[in-house]
Amino acid sequence: MEKKILLEENEIPKYWYNILADMPSPIDPPLGPDGKPIAADALTPIFPMEIIKQEMSAQAEIPIPEEVRSYYAYWRPTPLIRATGMERALKTPAKIYFKNESVSPAGSHKPNTSVPQAYYNKLEGIKRLSTETGAGQWGSALAFACKLMNLECTVYMVKVSFQQKPYRASMIRTWGATIWPSPSNQTSVGREFLKKDPDNSGSLGIAISEAAEDAATHEDTHYSLGSVLNHVLLHQTVIGLEAKKQFEKIGEYPDVIIAPCGGGSNLGGISFPFYRDKFAGKNVRIVAVEPKSCPTLTRGEFRYDFGDSAGFTPLMKMFTLGHNYAPPSIHAGGLRYHGDSPIISYLVKNGLMEAISVDQLETFEAALLFAGTEGIIPAPESAHAIRGAIIEALNAKQEGKEKTILFNMSGHGNFDMSAYDDYLAGKLHNYEVTDEEIRQSLSSISSI
Amino acid sequence: MEKKILLEENEIPKYWYNILADMPSPIDPPLGPDGKPIAADALTPIFPMEIIKQEMSAQAEIPIPEEVRSYYAYWRPTPLIRATGMERALKTPAKIYFKNESVSPAGSHKPNTSVPQAYYNKLEGIKRLSTETGAGQWGSALAFACKLMNLECTVYMVKVSFQQKPYRASMIRTWGATIWPSPSNQTSVGREFLKKDPDNSGSLGIAISEAAEDAATHEDTHYSLGSVLNHVLLHQTVIGLEAKKQFEKIGEYPDVIIAPCGGGSNLGGISFPFYRDKFAGKNVRIVAVEPKSCPTLTRGEFRYDFGDSAGFTPLMKMFTLGHNYAPPSIHAGGLRYHGDSPIISYLVKNGLMEAISVDQLETFEAALLFAGTEGIIPAPESAHAIRGAIIEALNAKQEGKEKTILFNMSGHGNFDMSAYDDYLAGKLHNYEVTDEEIRQSLSSISSI
């Protein structure tokens, strides 16, 4: 038996899979300040036309440009790995596979979309991209892509992460990007927040507001987002398209697919291609795993809300905890987002996707088991999927059932070692949000 | 054209190549305190018999145990990558390839030997391994291997590196190993050094002395070394064996092979299999690249010297700067070693291998070019090979010659970001050692 299921370079997918083409019913469109669906034109100041088209496309297969495929070849196809060591440790009859997205230069799945985004912007003559980043995985992925294509890059990094993870910032600078701790004095929205509270430690919502303002106020600059939006999840489908081919190669098919969920990009990326079969009647479960401290899908409300704190973005129909929700500062920074991808939200709302939430301590316990049996130290975000896989594997053991589990190892933890230090020193805690906190946070947006 | 040349899992080498079997003349043996060649028996308190046999074997092909191959499959075969982005940036007619050893769980080539070492010790009933580490690449590789095989692991880490690279230590702890900043109060040699100077910031030589004492004084414990010795370089030949197969696959052959050289393990690993052809008359150049601040091969003396500072190890015939040489604290910690592999030393002495030395600043310049064109941020050690490859590529351009260059990308720089910070902030310097300093350091061992 092979440990790794590999594909050849010419098996890098030639198209992305657009799930919107096959949805059982249309998803609700994003709305502008006037309450009407956003027109494509309204997005041209911040996105290139090709991206806007993808955001709204109804075509199932969208060709991947050859130049993008040639950049994907720097690290793709990524291996599908049988977690034999973890199976043995769990004494489970289940087969556990993971897609190893940590092999990219930036160490996560994020370059799957930063590369095409930089590419389309470059084609349109854009000189600079601005973006926000929380834990830094997205910021480093965009810096990497911009460097490859000779674009400038400005990253607004949530201040608390900037201070806690200085080496992510170093990585971003090493690839030539400019980085500002957010809130910064570079934008009017940043200055506004600093005026109210000079010690504001930032949030993803504020950083998005800053990056969007930067793009909207500079002719040669566009904005780039690392999750939530349709085109981002579209680009990430290379993960699932490869995984399907890899399962075909060994004559297997997953019974359940598990991924961490913050904005939804790695989850959408690995699962959407399998929905083609699921919509056609195939029995495959998809499970989103989120932190108990930011339980958007499991305890949020399905409604229109802003994507950022300042209310600059269009309103999106999604599960949300309220755009001013401030999650406890767990180490899985990439999962601390008040909202969620509208597509993911729709699938959960319509019973086509399951969602569970897990505690911080049990995710680190899972991470240590994985590191000790499979060798790879996972990002705290990815540890949520590992926890989910363990739950499924132990259920299979209890039921005495064989089962094929696939999870997304979305990134490595090389830049999260302080989190491991804290865990090993017994300094980490679980956080449970009260119903009252969620109610209050949601009530603050009731006027929209 | 493919960016990556991959091999299937069943193409992981089935044997290691032992260059000792094919050397033009025997290399001088290690000597004991009595000045006589060390007998195998003398090594049994610290090494398992299988490793001792490999250290002294004259057999050209030594089978790799199936269990070791199954662990290699966690990350091997590693890709051979065409550095197309760097070629374009250098406008060179040369083809540049690199073997990407950074894809291992510990992020470098080191697990190629930590895994078989842990395996053979486990077979012999050993419960714990002790070792030293400088920058931390070796310590983390051994912690990883011990964790996979349920052995305990104790790592003595040079104190200055322990302080400068806290996250390497976190990685080591995450894999369950115990780590002591060296000199420590855990060994008598450590206590001795601390008595003389409580602020002693450590050296690789001292840490080796501590780890060896730990093993020699505990029945259930053996010692494990990450470089210099014959069996270590032997295990690393999987790199070159794979690379040869990869070049065969594309119908090419390197004109020059370049690797960084500290103790010699990654250099020996990538180059030795090509010596089989070189000894048979094939025209292939092998180039060792070392830092100007620790110019063992280029300015050291070829003579017998100790491997450690305390003089516990056997005497080895090698290029050395003197076993008390204290190199300036450059960021390529893995290259700060006073001596060198006896095999590498022999090859250089006999004109079968070239050696060059490069400045710290030019290695970081090379690292940034590589990170920006190939996407991977290299370890400062590996950046020495990249600098070497650039020199060859620019020569090819000047001569208008096609040339095929292979270099070893021995590890990533994810745990070296503070070095990049310092470089980008203009805080790094070059260090040139004076002839007088080398003369003085060598004179201190003249009595051996």
Side-chain angles (χ1 to χ4, degrees), chain A residues 30 34 55 64 80 133 178 188 193 206 240 249 289 297 328 340 387 394 409 412 415 423:
Chain A
D34 55 359
E55 185 67 22
I64 304 178
L80 179 73
T133 197
T178 303
S188 62
F193 275 102
I206 297 174
K249 236 179 136 177
V289 188
L297 294 171
D340 224 309
R387 184 77 235 170
L394 294 179
M409 230 305 285
H412 64 59
F415 291 88
Y423 175 71

Side-chain angles (χ1 to χ4, degrees), chain B residues 342-393:
Chain B
I343 302 178
I344 298 284
S345 298
Y346 171 98
L347 292 169
V348 171
K349 182 69 184 174
N350 288 278
L352 292 160
M353 183 184 279
E354 302 167 37
I356 63 169
S357 65
V358 295
D359 273 321
Q360 177 160 258
L361 291 179
E362 58 182 336
T363 61
F364 274 91
E365 192 192 329
L368 252 71
L369 177 71
F370 185 72
T373 52
E374 297 300 323
I376 306 166
I377 297 177
E381 291 83 0
S382 312
H384 286 69
I386 298 170
R387 184 77 234 169
I390 292 173
I391 292 169
E392 291 290 334

Side-chain angles (χ1 to χ4, degrees), chain A residues 9-24:
Chain A
E9 202 162 301
N10 59 25
E11 292 176 289
I12 293 173
K14 295 195 167 56
Y15 64 87
W16 293 297
Y17 171 60
N18 176 19
I19 195 174
L20 289 176
D22 295 328
M23 294 290 255

Side-chain angles (χ1 to χ4, degrees), chain A residues 85-206:
Chain A
M86 198 161 84
E87 288 173 15
R88 276 193 300 271
L90 295 170
K91 298 188 177 68
T92 175
K95 293 178 189 168
I96 309 176
Y97 292 89
F98 63 93
K99 185 75 171 153
N100 187 6
E101 290 295 307
S102 77
V103 298
S104 83
S108 79
H109 66 292
K110 293 291 185 187
N112 296 333
T113 184
S114 69
V115 165
Q117 288 193 48
Y119 169 79
Y120 288 122
N121 276 291
K122 171 119 182 148
L123 272 194
E124 215 170 83
I126 286 300
K127 300 276 178 267
R128 184 168 71 96
L129 291 180
S130 71
T131 197
E132 73 290 333
T133 197
Q137 289 195 335
W138 169 243
S140 54
L142 191 67
F144 155 72
C146 285
K147 184 71 192 177
L148 286 183
M149 286 173 223
N150 279 312
L151 291 175
E152 291 174 57
C153 181
T154 304
V155 178
Y156 295 86
M157 185 169 182
V158 177
K159 197 184 281 171
V160 59
S161 296
F162 182 86
Q163 286 156 348
Q164 277 176 358
K165 306 196 178 184
Y167 294 148
R168 268 285 170 199
S170 315
M171 193 180 207
I172 290 169
R173 275 191 292 257
T174 298
W175 277 318
T178 303
I179 185 163
W180 301 105
S182 165
S184 77
N185 57 13
Q186 299 295 307
T187 64
S188 62
V189 62
R191 285 187 295 269
E192 200 62 37
F193 275 102
L194 286 175
K195 212 166 81 183
K196 274 184 256 170
D197 174 12
D199 295 327
N200 189 315
S201 62
S203 75
L204 211 47
I206 297 174

